[in-house]
Amino acid sequence: MAWQLAAPHTWPAAILPVLVAVACATAQGFPLSATVACTLLAICVLMQAAVNTFNDYYDYVKGSDSADDNVDPTDAVLVYNNVDPRAALGLAVGFLAAAFLLGAYVIWVAGWIPLAIGVVGALFVVVYSAGKTPLSYLPLGELVSGGVMGGLIPLASYQALTGVFDARALLWAVPTIIGVGLIMFTNNTCDLEKDREAGRHTLSVMLGRTKARKLYHALVYAWIAAIVVLVAVFFTGGLVVMPFMLLAAYPVIAALLKNPLAAHTRLAAMPQVLNVNIALGTFYAAAVFASPVLMLVL
């Protein structure tokens, strides 16, 4: 049950931003510590597991999840299993505490800046699901999840890896910000009717499914364009990777765009958006990694 609450199928949202940060640091010529990189990866996975567990707990205690509207038992662990909600809350706090314990090593190596960014991220982790009106109930959910997981993680990881606070790391993270935000957008659009009945005012509820899908498709195209533009401007040598990215990602992107993002297609939609994250995120990192090498060859 702890494994299901941690929802490892969502971990690409934590792993890929760290991978992009490592790639960017490498491309800028910084010598990297494998120990720091692996510690950062573990911290971010633990934070993602905490988000997932907090979200499951608060959805259960607020009555947002029920056996009638969840087709996947792993999506509402507390509804379908005899799990003490207090134990789930303790697990979520434990994930967060473990992340901060590991963070002590990163702070010792890299100083206080990753700590400051981590504290901001942790606060968002809690208020995202907790409180009378959590952020996940508002039109801000996609922006917050994308900004924290997709933006703050690369920013903090880059500083911890290089010892340099470079605002460009946030710019280089635009693709992961969009990608992580789209995971939440997918979930909320599929759950539109359920969320409306539960009193949630998500972006999808506010827009309606037709407008939400139009915005969703626009963001998918913006995601691809952002990768190509960033590689062209900052990591020019990696442009050779872009055709391979488009060829490899086309099938999963096409499947995602064809999905109506409705309740009955949710089980397909979530793996699809995660697969697109993995495909685009991995090729983006590969292009950044390859950039200095290919520039030397050229």
Side-chain angles (χ1 to χ4, degrees):
M1 293 305 99
W3 182 255
Q4 288 187 25
L5 285 165
H9 62 281
T10 67
W11 291 356
I15 295 171
L16 292 171
V18 176
L19 180 63
V20 167
V22 171
C24 291
T26 302
Q28 295 301 308
F30 289 97
L32 300 184
S33 165
T35 304
V36 173
C38 290
T39 303
L40 288 168
L41 185 62
I43 291 169
C44 294
V45 166
L46 285 166
M47 289 188 70
Q48 179 67 47
V51 170
N52 296 334
T53 308
F54 273 124
N55 201 45
D56 219 30
Y57 169 78
Y58 283 108
D59 280 350
Y60 178 78
V61 298
K62 291 176 183 290
S64 299
D65 284 343
S66 69
D68 295 330
D69 54 24
N70 284 284
V71 292
D72 184 1
T74 63
D75 187 48
V77 177
L78 300 182
V79 171
Y80 290 96
N81 300 277
N82 186 25
V83 179
D84 183 350
R86 292 172 298 180
L89 180 61
L91 179 66
V93 173
F95 283 141
L96 212 53
F100 269 91
L101 285 174
L102 288 175
Y105 169 71
V106 176
I107 295 164
W108 178 64
V109 172
W112 63 269
I113 293 179
L115 171 63
I117 298 173
V119 168
V120 173
L123 290 174
F124 275 111
V125 165
V126 175
V127 300
Y128 180 80
S129 299
K132 186 176 180 181
T133 307
L135 293 176
S136 61
Y137 280 48
L138 302 175
L140 300 172
E142 290 81 1
L143 179 62
V144 170
S145 62
V148 172
M149 300 301 294
L152 292 186
I153 285 178
L155 181 64
S157 297
Y158 186 87
Q159 198 281 332
L161 289 164
T162 65
V164 177
F165 183 80
D166 191 337
R168 292 181 303 170
L170 201 56
L171 177 62
W172 297 332
V174 167
T176 53
I177 292 173
I178 297 173
V180 174
L182 278 174
I183 296 174
M184 179 55 58
F185 202 5
T186 304
N187 180 77
N188 287 345
T189 306
C190 291
D191 287 347
L192 192 153
E193 291 81 10
K194 167 191 164 184
D195 287 345
R196 182 181 289 131
E197 291 176 5
R200 285 185 169 186
H201 301 285
T202 65
L203 181 61
S204 300
V205 169
M206 302 297 288
L207 292 175
R209 179 164 282 108
T210 300
K211 290 183 180 179
R213 288 192 71 227
K214 288 181 180 179
L215 176 59
Y216 188 95
H217 289 182
L219 287 171
V220 171
Y221 292 124
W223 186 5
I224 299 167
I227 293 174
V228 175
V229 170
L230 287 169
V231 171
V233 173
F234 294 103
F235 311 104
T236 310
L239 277 174
V240 69
V241 177
M242 293 296 94
F244 298 99
M245 179 188 78
L246 296 175
L247 286 171
Y250 175 77
V252 288
I253 293 173
L256 179 61
L257 293 176
K258 290 177 182 176
N259 194 302
L261 302 179
H264 67 279
T265 61
R266 186 182 188 283
L267 284 180
M270 292 307 293
Q272 285 167 351
V273 71
L274 287 167
N275 286 339
V276 175
N277 265 274
I278 292 169
L280 294 182
T282 303
F283 274 99
Y284 178 40
V288 176
F289 272 123
S291 176
V293 176
L294 292 177
M295 287 295 287
L296 287 174
V297 172
L298 295 172

